Amino acid sequence: MSHRHVGDAEYFADEYEMDDVEEDIDIDGESINREGGDVDSDVDEYDYSSSKAVDTTAAQARKGQDIQGIPWDSLSITRERYRQTRLEQYKNYENIPQSGDRSGKDCNSTDKGYSFYEFRRNSRSVKSTILHFQLRNLVWATSKHDVYLMSQFSVTHWSSLTCTRSEVLNVSGHVAPSEKHPGSLLEGFTHTQVSTLAVKDNLLVAGGFQGELICKHLDRPGVSFCSRTTYDDNAITNAIEIYASPSGAVHFTASNNDCGIRNFDMEKFQLSKHFRFPWPVNHTSLSPDGKLLLIVGDNPESMLVDSQNGKTIAPLSGHLDFSFASSWNPDGVTFATGNQDKTCRIWDMRNLSKSVAVLKGNLGAIRSIRHSSDGKYMAIAEPADFVHVYDVKSGYEKEQEIDFFGEISGISFSPDTESLFIGVWDRTYGSLLEYGRSHNYSYVDLMI
Protein backbone atom coordinates (compact mmCIF):
# COMPACT_ATOMS: atom_id res chain seq x y z
CA MET A 1 0.00 0.00 0.00
CA SER A 2 0.99 3.62 -0.35
CA HIS A 3 3.51 4.71 2.27
CA ARG A 4 1.90 8.09 2.71
CA HIS A 5 -0.80 8.66 5.26
CA VAL A 6 -0.10 12.19 6.43
CA GLY A 7 -2.71 14.31 4.74
CA ASP A 8 -4.93 11.42 3.68
CA ALA A 9 -7.91 13.21 5.20
CA GLU A 10 -7.06 16.21 3.04
CA TYR A 11 -6.95 13.86 0.04
CA PHE A 12 -10.62 13.15 0.75
CA ALA A 13 -11.61 16.69 1.59
CA ASP A 14 -10.00 18.22 -1.46
CA GLU A 15 -11.20 15.64 -3.93
CA TYR A 16 -14.38 13.93 -2.89
CA GLU A 17 -16.36 15.42 -0.03
CA MET A 18 -19.81 16.93 -0.29
CA ASP A 19 -19.69 20.29 1.44
CA ASP A 20 -22.58 21.43 3.62
CA VAL A 21 -25.63 22.15 1.47
CA GLU A 22 -26.08 25.39 3.42
CA GLU A 23 -23.16 26.65 1.31
CA ASP A 24 -21.82 25.47 -2.04
CA ILE A 25 -21.26 21.84 -2.95
CA ASP A 26 -17.95 21.43 -4.72
CA ILE A 27 -16.97 18.21 -6.42
CA ASP A 28 -13.55 18.32 -8.08
CA GLY A 29 -13.87 22.01 -8.75
CA GLU A 30 -17.46 22.14 -10.01
CA SER A 31 -19.56 24.49 -7.91
CA ILE A 32 -23.15 23.40 -7.38
CA ASN A 33 -25.08 26.32 -5.91
CA ARG A 34 -28.12 25.88 -3.79
CA GLU A 35 -31.30 27.66 -4.83
CA GLY A 36 -33.70 29.50 -2.52
CA GLY A 37 -33.47 30.17 1.18
CA ASP A 38 -33.46 27.88 4.17
CA VAL A 39 -34.58 24.29 3.85
CA ASP A 40 -38.05 23.68 5.23
CA SER A 41 -37.95 22.42 8.80
CA ASP A 42 -39.53 19.07 7.94
CA VAL A 43 -36.75 18.22 5.47
CA ASP A 44 -33.91 20.12 7.12
CA GLU A 45 -30.87 17.87 7.38
CA TYR A 46 -30.10 19.12 10.89
CA ASP A 47 -32.09 19.75 14.00
CA TYR A 48 -30.24 22.91 15.02
CA SER A 49 -31.87 23.08 18.44
CA SER A 50 -30.11 19.90 19.46
CA SER A 51 -27.25 19.98 16.90
CA LYS A 52 -28.18 16.42 16.05
CA ALA A 53 -28.36 15.16 12.48
CA VAL A 54 -31.79 13.90 11.50
CA ASP A 55 -31.89 10.22 10.51
CA THR A 56 -33.82 8.79 7.58
CA THR A 57 -36.14 5.83 8.12
CA ALA A 58 -37.43 3.23 5.67
CA ALA A 59 -40.90 4.77 5.87
CA GLN A 60 -39.54 8.17 4.87
CA ALA A 61 -37.54 6.65 2.02
CA ARG A 62 -40.66 4.92 0.70
CA LYS A 63 -42.32 8.35 0.55
CA GLY A 64 -39.53 9.63 -1.66
CA GLN A 65 -37.13 11.20 0.83
CA ASP A 66 -33.46 10.84 -0.04
CA ILE A 67 -31.92 8.13 2.15
CA GLN A 68 -29.05 10.45 3.13
CA GLY A 69 -31.26 13.45 3.77
CA ILE A 70 -29.81 15.43 0.84
CA PRO A 71 -32.42 18.07 -0.13
CA TRP A 72 -32.17 17.70 -3.92
CA ASP A 73 -35.28 19.80 -4.50
CA SER A 74 -33.46 22.77 -2.97
CA LEU A 75 -30.31 22.37 -5.06
CA SER A 76 -29.58 23.68 -8.53
CA ILE A 77 -28.59 20.22 -9.70
CA THR A 78 -30.50 16.96 -9.91
CA ARG A 79 -29.32 13.79 -8.26
CA GLU A 80 -28.90 12.22 -11.71
CA ARG A 81 -26.60 14.99 -12.94
CA TYR A 82 -24.68 14.96 -9.68
CA ARG A 83 -24.18 11.23 -10.06
CA GLN A 84 -22.92 11.69 -13.60
CA THR A 85 -20.49 14.34 -12.37
CA ARG A 86 -19.09 11.94 -9.80
CA LEU A 87 -18.71 9.15 -12.35
CA GLU A 88 -16.85 11.46 -14.70
CA GLN A 89 -14.61 13.23 -12.20
CA TYR A 90 -13.86 10.81 -9.35
CA LYS A 91 -10.14 10.01 -9.44
CA ASN A 92 -9.41 6.36 -8.75
CA TYR A 93 -6.09 5.92 -6.98
CA GLU A 94 -3.78 3.65 -8.98
CA ASN A 95 -0.27 2.41 -8.29
CA ILE A 96 -0.03 1.13 -11.88
CA PRO A 97 -1.27 3.81 -14.34
CA GLN A 98 -4.38 3.08 -16.44
CA SER A 99 -4.99 -0.23 -14.66
CA GLY A 100 -8.68 0.62 -14.29
CA ASP A 101 -9.07 1.49 -17.96
CA ARG A 102 -7.38 -1.72 -19.09
CA SER A 103 -9.28 -4.08 -16.79
CA GLY A 104 -12.70 -4.02 -18.41
CA LYS A 105 -12.07 -6.42 -21.28
CA ASP A 106 -13.14 -9.68 -19.63
CA CYS A 107 -15.68 -8.40 -17.08
CA ASN A 108 -18.96 -10.22 -16.55
CA SER A 109 -22.26 -8.57 -17.40
CA THR A 110 -24.79 -8.47 -14.56
CA ASP A 111 -28.45 -7.67 -14.03
CA LYS A 112 -28.52 -4.85 -11.46
CA GLY A 113 -32.25 -4.86 -10.87
CA TYR A 114 -32.34 -6.97 -7.73
CA SER A 115 -33.01 -6.01 -4.09
CA PHE A 116 -31.54 -8.65 -1.80
CA TYR A 117 -31.29 -6.15 1.07
CA GLU A 118 -33.82 -3.36 1.68
CA PHE A 119 -33.03 0.06 3.15
CA ARG A 120 -33.88 0.30 6.87
CA ARG A 121 -32.26 3.42 8.24
CA ASN A 122 -29.58 6.02 7.74
CA SER A 123 -28.17 6.98 11.14
CA ARG A 124 -26.43 10.33 10.79
CA SER A 125 -25.68 10.63 14.47
CA VAL A 126 -23.07 7.89 13.94
CA LYS A 127 -19.96 9.40 12.38
CA SER A 128 -17.81 6.76 10.75
CA THR A 129 -14.28 7.96 9.92
CA ILE A 130 -11.22 6.86 7.93
CA LEU A 131 -7.53 7.59 8.50
CA HIS A 132 -5.99 5.95 5.41
CA PHE A 133 -7.53 6.27 1.97
CA GLN A 134 -6.69 2.70 0.92
CA LEU A 135 -7.87 0.86 4.05
CA ARG A 136 -11.62 0.43 4.45
CA ASN A 137 -12.25 -2.28 7.06
CA LEU A 138 -13.54 -0.17 9.93
CA VAL A 139 -17.14 -1.42 10.30
CA TRP A 140 -18.04 -4.75 11.94
CA ALA A 141 -21.46 -6.16 12.88
CA THR A 142 -21.68 -8.76 15.67
CA SER A 143 -25.47 -9.16 15.47
CA LYS A 144 -28.27 -7.77 13.34
CA HIS A 145 -28.48 -4.83 15.76
CA ASP A 146 -24.91 -4.39 17.04
CA VAL A 147 -22.19 -2.62 15.05
CA TYR A 148 -18.66 -1.48 15.93
CA LEU A 149 -16.89 1.27 14.00
CA MET A 150 -14.18 3.91 14.22
CA SER A 151 -15.25 7.48 14.92
CA GLN A 152 -12.14 9.69 15.14
CA PHE A 153 -10.08 8.20 18.02
CA SER A 154 -12.98 6.23 19.44
CA VAL A 155 -14.11 2.68 18.80
CA THR A 156 -17.87 3.09 19.00
CA HIS A 157 -20.70 0.62 19.50
CA TRP A 158 -24.00 1.39 17.79
CA SER A 159 -27.27 -0.35 18.59
CA SER A 160 -29.68 -0.11 15.69
CA LEU A 161 -32.36 -1.51 18.01
CA THR A 162 -32.25 1.38 20.49
CA CYS A 163 -30.52 3.91 18.19
CA THR A 164 -27.90 4.61 20.84
CA ARG A 165 -24.12 4.75 20.66
CA SER A 166 -21.47 4.19 23.30
CA GLU A 167 -17.71 4.42 23.41
CA VAL A 168 -15.94 1.07 23.72
CA LEU A 169 -12.32 2.17 23.49
CA ASN A 170 -10.68 5.58 23.28
CA VAL A 171 -7.18 5.56 21.80
CA SER A 172 -6.50 9.31 21.87
CA GLY A 173 -4.61 9.05 25.16
CA HIS A 174 -2.55 6.30 26.75
CA VAL A 175 -3.84 2.74 26.29
CA ALA A 176 -2.27 -0.11 28.25
CA PRO A 177 -3.30 -3.69 29.09
CA SER A 178 -4.74 -4.49 32.49
CA GLU A 179 -2.07 -7.15 33.00
CA LYS A 180 1.45 -7.80 31.75
CA HIS A 181 2.20 -10.47 29.15
CA PRO A 182 5.77 -11.82 28.79
CA GLY A 183 7.17 -11.69 25.27
CA SER A 184 5.30 -8.61 24.14
CA LEU A 185 7.59 -6.15 22.33
CA LEU A 186 5.89 -3.18 23.92
CA GLU A 187 2.81 -2.85 26.05
CA GLY A 188 0.83 0.36 25.96
CA PHE A 189 0.52 3.12 23.37
CA THR A 190 -0.35 6.80 23.23
CA HIS A 191 -2.42 8.59 20.58
CA THR A 192 -2.87 5.53 18.36
CA GLN A 193 -3.91 6.16 14.78
CA VAL A 194 -6.17 3.20 14.03
CA SER A 195 -5.75 1.98 10.45
CA THR A 196 -7.85 -1.17 10.63
CA LEU A 197 -10.27 -2.95 12.93
CA ALA A 198 -11.82 -6.38 13.47
CA VAL A 199 -14.51 -7.56 15.90
CA LYS A 200 -15.68 -11.14 16.34
CA ASP A 201 -16.75 -13.46 19.16
CA ASN A 202 -16.38 -10.80 21.89
CA LEU A 203 -12.85 -9.91 20.74
CA LEU A 204 -11.98 -6.51 19.33
CA VAL A 205 -8.58 -5.91 17.71
CA ALA A 206 -7.46 -2.49 16.47
CA GLY A 207 -4.35 -2.09 14.32
CA GLY A 208 -2.33 1.13 14.09
CA PHE A 209 -0.09 3.11 11.76
CA GLN A 210 3.03 2.19 13.73
CA GLY A 211 2.30 -1.52 13.86
CA GLU A 212 0.32 -1.27 17.10
CA LEU A 213 -2.16 -3.97 18.07
CA ILE A 214 -4.71 -3.30 20.80
CA CYS A 215 -6.91 -6.21 21.87
CA LYS A 216 -9.99 -5.91 24.04
CA HIS A 217 -12.47 -8.57 25.12
CA LEU A 218 -15.89 -6.97 24.96
CA ASP A 219 -17.10 -8.94 27.97
CA ARG A 220 -14.18 -7.85 30.18
CA PRO A 221 -13.19 -4.44 31.55
CA GLY A 222 -10.08 -2.72 30.25
CA VAL A 223 -7.69 -3.75 27.50
CA SER A 224 -6.46 -7.35 27.41
CA PHE A 225 -3.33 -7.13 25.28
CA CYS A 226 -1.13 -4.59 23.50
CA SER A 227 1.79 -5.33 21.22
CA ARG A 228 3.85 -3.60 18.57
CA THR A 229 4.36 -6.00 15.69
CA THR A 230 7.59 -4.46 14.49
CA TYR A 231 9.83 -1.40 14.76
CA ASP A 232 10.14 -1.17 10.98
CA ASP A 233 9.67 2.36 9.62
CA ASN A 234 6.89 1.09 7.37
CA ALA A 235 4.95 -0.91 9.93
CA ILE A 236 1.30 0.05 9.37
CA THR A 237 -1.21 -2.68 10.16
CA ASN A 238 -3.27 -3.06 7.00
CA ALA A 239 -5.78 -5.74 7.99
CA ILE A 240 -6.80 -8.06 10.83
CA GLU A 241 -8.77 -11.31 10.73
CA ILE A 242 -10.08 -13.05 13.86
CA TYR A 243 -10.80 -16.77 13.78
CA ALA A 244 -11.04 -19.87 15.95
CA SER A 245 -8.33 -22.52 15.61
CA PRO A 246 -9.25 -26.24 15.30
CA SER A 247 -8.68 -26.54 19.07
CA GLY A 248 -11.19 -23.74 19.68
CA ALA A 249 -8.59 -21.19 20.75
CA VAL A 250 -9.13 -17.66 19.47
CA HIS A 251 -6.44 -16.37 17.10
CA PHE A 252 -6.04 -13.38 14.85
CA THR A 253 -3.85 -12.67 11.85
CA ALA A 254 -2.33 -9.23 11.25
CA SER A 255 -1.23 -8.16 7.76
CA ASN A 256 1.46 -5.47 7.76
CA ASN A 257 3.21 -3.15 5.36
CA ASP A 258 6.61 -4.55 6.41
CA CYS A 259 5.80 -7.58 4.19
CA GLY A 260 4.85 -9.70 7.18
CA ILE A 261 1.88 -11.74 8.37
CA ARG A 262 1.70 -12.50 12.07
CA ASN A 263 -0.57 -14.90 13.88
CA PHE A 264 -1.40 -14.26 17.53
CA ASP A 265 -2.81 -16.75 20.03
CA MET A 266 -5.23 -14.87 22.27
CA GLU A 267 -5.38 -17.68 24.80
CA LYS A 268 -1.67 -17.23 25.53
CA PHE A 269 -1.41 -13.59 24.38
CA GLN A 270 1.58 -14.56 22.25
CA LEU A 271 2.83 -14.42 18.67
CA SER A 272 2.55 -17.95 17.27
CA LYS A 273 3.57 -17.59 13.58
CA HIS A 274 5.37 -15.02 11.47
CA PHE A 275 5.64 -15.28 7.68
CA ARG A 276 7.43 -12.86 5.36
CA PHE A 277 6.65 -12.16 1.70
CA PRO A 278 8.32 -10.24 -1.16
CA TRP A 279 5.89 -7.29 -0.94
CA PRO A 280 3.68 -5.47 1.61
CA VAL A 281 0.63 -7.52 2.57
CA ASN A 282 -2.60 -5.51 2.40
CA HIS A 283 -5.12 -8.19 3.32
CA THR A 284 -5.23 -11.86 4.33
CA SER A 285 -8.13 -14.34 4.49
CA LEU A 286 -8.06 -17.77 6.08
CA SER A 287 -9.93 -20.60 4.33
CA PRO A 288 -12.90 -22.09 6.24
CA ASP A 289 -10.95 -25.30 6.93
CA GLY A 290 -8.01 -23.28 8.28
CA LYS A 291 -5.48 -24.79 5.87
CA LEU A 292 -4.92 -21.98 3.37
CA LEU A 293 -4.16 -18.29 3.54
CA LEU A 294 -5.21 -16.02 0.71
CA ILE A 295 -2.62 -13.22 0.45
CA VAL A 296 -3.04 -9.95 -1.46
CA GLY A 297 -0.80 -6.89 -1.44
CA ASP A 298 1.45 -4.55 -3.37
CA ASN A 299 1.70 -6.83 -6.37
CA PRO A 300 -0.78 -7.58 -9.17
CA GLU A 301 -0.28 -11.28 -8.45
CA SER A 302 -1.92 -12.67 -5.32
CA MET A 303 -1.15 -16.06 -3.80
CA LEU A 304 -2.45 -18.99 -1.80
CA VAL A 305 -0.09 -20.18 0.91
CA ASP A 306 -0.03 -22.97 3.48
CA SER A 307 -1.31 -21.54 6.77
CA GLN A 308 1.08 -23.71 8.79
CA ASN A 309 4.39 -22.87 7.12
CA GLY A 310 3.70 -19.92 4.82
CA LYS A 311 4.90 -21.74 1.70
CA THR A 312 3.30 -20.74 -1.61
CA ILE A 313 0.83 -23.24 -2.99
CA ALA A 314 -0.39 -21.34 -6.05
CA PRO A 315 0.02 -17.87 -7.57
CA LEU A 316 -3.12 -16.04 -8.74
CA SER A 317 -2.66 -14.00 -11.92
CA GLY A 318 -5.14 -11.68 -13.60
CA HIS A 319 -5.32 -8.37 -11.73
CA LEU A 320 -3.49 -5.36 -13.14
CA ASP A 321 -2.76 -3.36 -9.96
CA PHE A 322 -2.35 -3.80 -6.20
CA SER A 323 -5.05 -5.61 -4.22
CA PHE A 324 -6.54 -4.54 -0.88
CA ALA A 325 -9.42 -6.95 -0.27
CA SER A 326 -10.02 -10.70 -0.09
CA SER A 327 -12.67 -13.05 1.20
CA TRP A 328 -13.45 -16.77 1.21
CA ASN A 329 -16.92 -18.05 0.51
CA PRO A 330 -18.01 -20.27 3.46
CA ASP A 331 -18.20 -23.17 0.99
CA GLY A 332 -14.38 -23.31 1.07
CA VAL A 333 -14.24 -23.74 -2.69
CA THR A 334 -14.44 -20.20 -4.05
CA PHE A 335 -12.87 -16.95 -2.91
CA ALA A 336 -12.59 -13.35 -4.10
CA THR A 337 -9.91 -10.68 -4.46
CA GLY A 338 -10.45 -6.92 -4.83
CA ASN A 339 -8.05 -4.68 -6.72
CA GLN A 340 -7.27 -1.06 -7.60
CA ASP A 341 -7.93 -1.98 -11.25
CA LYS A 342 -11.63 -1.58 -10.27
CA THR A 343 -12.35 -5.32 -10.38
CA CYS A 344 -13.25 -8.14 -8.04
CA ARG A 345 -12.09 -11.53 -9.30
CA ILE A 346 -13.70 -14.81 -8.26
CA TRP A 347 -11.49 -17.89 -8.04
CA ASP A 348 -12.29 -21.60 -7.79
CA MET A 349 -9.97 -24.00 -5.95
CA ARG A 350 -10.62 -26.66 -8.57
CA ASN A 351 -8.98 -24.56 -11.30
CA LEU A 352 -6.69 -21.73 -10.25
CA SER A 353 -5.25 -21.06 -13.71
CA LYS A 354 -7.63 -18.13 -14.14
CA SER A 355 -10.49 -16.44 -12.33
CA VAL A 356 -13.99 -17.77 -13.04
CA ALA A 357 -15.66 -14.34 -12.91
CA VAL A 358 -14.57 -10.70 -13.09
CA LEU A 359 -16.86 -8.03 -11.61
CA LYS A 360 -16.26 -4.36 -12.44
CA GLY A 361 -16.88 -1.37 -10.19
CA ASN A 362 -18.12 2.04 -11.29
CA LEU A 363 -15.85 4.60 -9.64
CA GLY A 364 -12.74 2.94 -8.34
CA ALA A 365 -10.87 0.20 -6.52
CA ILE A 366 -12.60 -2.68 -4.77
CA ARG A 367 -11.45 -1.99 -1.21
CA SER A 368 -13.60 -4.34 0.85
CA ILE A 369 -15.25 -7.73 0.25
CA ARG A 370 -17.62 -9.64 2.54
CA HIS A 371 -19.55 -12.90 2.17
CA SER A 372 -22.75 -13.57 4.08
CA SER A 373 -22.33 -16.44 6.54
CA ASP A 374 -24.62 -18.70 4.48
CA GLY A 375 -22.50 -18.07 1.38
CA LYS A 376 -25.48 -16.88 -0.62
CA TYR A 377 -24.41 -13.27 -1.05
CA MET A 378 -21.17 -11.42 -1.60
CA ALA A 379 -20.86 -7.66 -1.06
CA ILE A 380 -18.04 -5.55 -2.46
CA ALA A 381 -17.35 -1.89 -1.69
CA GLU A 382 -15.74 0.70 -3.89
CA PRO A 383 -13.88 3.62 -2.28
CA ALA A 384 -17.05 5.72 -2.47
CA ASP A 385 -20.71 5.80 -3.51
CA PHE A 386 -21.29 2.15 -4.48
CA VAL A 387 -21.71 -1.17 -2.70
CA HIS A 388 -22.54 -4.15 -4.92
CA VAL A 389 -24.33 -7.23 -3.56
CA TYR A 390 -24.23 -10.37 -5.72
CA ASP A 391 -26.25 -13.57 -5.68
CA VAL A 392 -23.46 -16.15 -5.58
CA LYS A 393 -25.60 -19.08 -6.77
CA SER A 394 -26.58 -17.20 -9.93
CA GLY A 395 -22.93 -17.13 -10.93
CA TYR A 396 -22.78 -13.45 -9.88
CA GLU A 397 -25.19 -12.55 -12.69
CA LYS A 398 -27.81 -11.12 -10.29
CA GLU A 399 -26.72 -7.92 -8.58
CA GLN A 400 -28.06 -5.26 -6.26
CA GLU A 401 -26.32 -1.92 -6.64
CA ILE A 402 -26.56 0.30 -3.55
CA ASP A 403 -26.05 3.89 -4.67
CA PHE A 404 -25.31 6.85 -2.33
CA PHE A 405 -22.72 9.62 -1.92
CA GLY A 406 -19.65 9.55 0.31
CA GLU A 407 -16.45 7.63 1.04
CA ILE A 408 -16.97 4.11 2.40
CA SER A 409 -15.26 3.26 5.70
CA GLY A 410 -16.37 -0.37 5.71
CA ILE A 411 -19.15 -2.88 5.08
CA SER A 412 -20.37 -5.77 7.21
CA PHE A 413 -23.03 -8.46 7.10
CA SER A 414 -24.41 -9.47 10.48
CA PRO A 415 -23.52 -13.07 11.44
CA ASP A 416 -27.14 -14.16 10.90
CA THR A 417 -27.11 -12.48 7.43
CA GLU A 418 -30.19 -10.40 8.35
CA SER A 419 -28.43 -7.02 8.23
CA LEU A 420 -25.91 -5.23 6.05
CA PHE A 421 -24.19 -2.12 7.41
CA ILE A 422 -22.27 0.49 5.40
CA GLY A 423 -20.11 3.18 6.97
CA VAL A 424 -20.16 6.50 5.09
CA TRP A 425 -17.40 9.06 5.68
CA ASP A 426 -18.29 12.62 4.76
CA ARG A 427 -17.98 15.98 6.52
CA THR A 428 -21.70 16.70 6.18
CA TYR A 429 -23.41 13.43 5.35
CA GLY A 430 -21.25 10.95 7.26
CA SER A 431 -23.44 8.19 8.69
CA LEU A 432 -24.15 4.49 9.06
CA LEU A 433 -26.45 2.96 6.46
CA GLU A 434 -28.46 -0.09 7.53
CA TYR A 435 -30.10 -2.57 5.17
CA GLY A 436 -32.21 -5.62 6.05
CA ARG A 437 -32.40 -8.88 4.17
CA SER A 438 -35.43 -9.19 1.91
CA HIS A 439 -37.70 -12.16 2.56
CA ASN A 440 -40.47 -13.34 0.30
CA TYR A 441 -42.61 -15.33 2.69
CA SER A 442 -45.29 -17.54 1.19
CA TYR A 443 -48.67 -18.22 2.82
CA VAL A 444 -47.38 -21.55 4.15
CA ASP A 445 -44.32 -19.83 5.66
CA LEU A 446 -46.57 -17.45 7.57
CA MET A 447 -48.38 -20.40 9.18
CA ILE A 448 -45.18 -21.86 10.63
Side-chain angles (χ1 to χ4, degrees), residues 265-307:
D265 183 339
M266 288 308 295
E267 299 297 317
K268 301 177 181 178
F269 296 101
Q270 290 181 353
L271 175 68
S272 60
K273 293 185 181 69
H274 180 196
F275 305 139
R276 293 190 62 83
F277 297 92
W279 27 261
V281 180
N282 296 328
H283 201 271
T284 303
S285 296
L286 183 69
S287 62
D289 63 7
K291 296 180 179 179
L292 300 172
L293 282 171
L294 171 58
I295 312 295
V296 303
D298 283 7
N299 193 299
E301 191 173 84
S302 305
M303 63 176 71
L304 281 178
V305 305
D306 188 303
S307 65

Side-chain angles (χ1 to χ4, degrees), residues 398-412:
K398 298 177 181 179
E399 175 189 350
Q400 175 182 4
E401 186 175 86
I402 300 175
D403 177 345
F404 51 93
F405 294 100
E407 295 290 318
I408 300 169
S409 62
I411 57 174
S412 182

Side-chain angles (χ1 to χ4, degrees), residues 18 39 50 84 160 239 290 296 319 324 390 435:
M18 297 182 65
V39 180
S50 64
Q84 189 59 38
S160 64
V296 303
H319 281 302
F324 283 81
Y390 296 92
Y435 285 76

Side-chain angles (χ1 to χ4, degrees), residues 243-260:
Y243 68 95
S245 69
S247 67
V250 177
H251 285 240
F252 72 87
T253 298
S255 306
N256 285 78
N257 226 45
D258 68 346
C259 307

Side-chain angles (χ1 to χ4, degrees), residues 69 258 431 439:
D258 68 346
S431 65
H439 292 286

Side-chain angles (χ1 to χ4, degrees), residues 72 77-87 405:
W72 296 107
I77 189 170
T78 64
R79 190 186 194 280
E80 291 72 23
R81 181 168 169 248
Y82 191 79
R83 167 54 66 215
Q84 189 59 38
T85 299
R86 293 275 279 184
L87 289 170
F405 294 100

